[in-house]
Amino acid sequence: MRDRDSRLLAAARRGDADEVRAALDAGARVEARDEELRSPLLLASLGSHVDAARVLVAAGADPNAQDRRHDSPWLVTGVTGNVAMMRALLPAGPDLTLRNRFGGVSLIPASERGHVAYVRAVLRETGIDVDHVNDLGWTALLEAVILGDGGRPHQEVVELLLAAGADPELADADGVTALRHARRRGFDAIAALLADA
């Protein structure tokens, strides 16, 4: 069993969809784990191997299986910003409230990194909580401003979040709103968006 599981994990890491299928057919466990407790689907998601992920989802892989770092296949889509992977995982019924090691949902790292296409897709195609607050006291809107660079991608993310109903008055743990952060950082375009919200 261990050899078959190792074969599956290696195939998922490489993104070899045919080998993933063959390993499963040979009896590998779809929820096998490596030394970091990463599942085959998590490895495929980390590598943005969409075809391999589709095979695993069809075999019943869990999109919510978390590793030692609390990453899951679904949560990783917010980090990579891979819309195709996000859509490949939706049929598996991911838990939109699942939290990463910072207490955030997938929308928050996507907003921080300026993954415009992902933010647009996840807001349109799921019921993810646009105002979820992570363990740092930050929403997706706050992260886009605090950890973003103020450039066009982060401006678009702010626009999308506001259009989806994000509350611009939600402040961080120190009582500072996204607007005040934007003004402090000299992000004039984002400040204008927030002031008009």
Side-chain angles (χ1 to χ4, degrees):
M1 181 67 76
R2 184 174 296 171
D3 289 345
R4 285 174 284 185
D5 288 353
S6 295
R7 176 185 176 191
L8 175 58
L9 290 161
R13 189 178 288 111
R14 291 193 313 272
D16 187 336
D18 290 337
E19 180 65 8
V20 165
R21 189 176 289 107
L24 289 168
D25 289 345
R29 296 173 300 158
V30 71
E31 293 303 329
R33 299 295 183 104
D34 70 7
E35 63 282 351
E36 296 301 320
L37 299 183
R38 294 172 297 199
S39 68
L41 187 55
L42 177 52
L43 293 170
S45 189
L46 284 164
S48 293
H49 302 307
V50 177
D51 289 341
R54 287 192 182 113
V55 173
L56 290 160
V57 167
D62 182 0
N64 306 311
Q66 291 181 285
D67 67 1
R68 291 190 198 282
R69 290 165 41 97
H70 300 284
D71 285 333
S72 75
W74 175 256
L75 287 170
V76 164
T77 65
V79 176
T80 65
N82 190 318
V83 175
M85 182 64 74
M86 181 206 85
R87 290 179 175 145
L89 297 181
L90 283 177
D95 179 358
L96 303 179
T97 68
L98 192 67
R99 298 169 178 232
N100 62 22
R101 64 190 176 280
F102 303 110
V105 295
S106 70
L107 179 63
I108 292 181
S111 298
E112 171 204 333
R113 289 165 171 77
H115 292 320
V116 177
Y118 182 94
V119 170
R120 181 181 293 112
V122 82
L123 288 172
R124 278 187 186 161
E125 299 172 33
T126 76
I128 201 159
D129 180 4
V130 70
D131 283 328
H132 174 84
V133 179
N134 68 12
D135 294 344
L136 301 171
W138 296 346
T139 62
L141 186 60
L142 282 162
E143 284 228 1
V145 177
I146 295 169
L147 299 178
D149 63 11
R152 188 61 198 149
H154 286 99
Q155 293 168 31
E156 289 185 49
V157 165
V158 168
E159 288 177 37
L160 289 166
L161 293 170
L162 290 172
D167 183 353
E169 299 302 317
L170 282 177
D172 65 17
D174 297 317
V176 181
T177 64
L179 176 58
R180 284 176 60 197
H181 279 291
R183 286 176 172 159
R184 284 179 182 176
R185 301 197 65 197
F187 295 166
D188 295 340
I190 289 178
L193 290 169
L194 292 164
D196 290 341

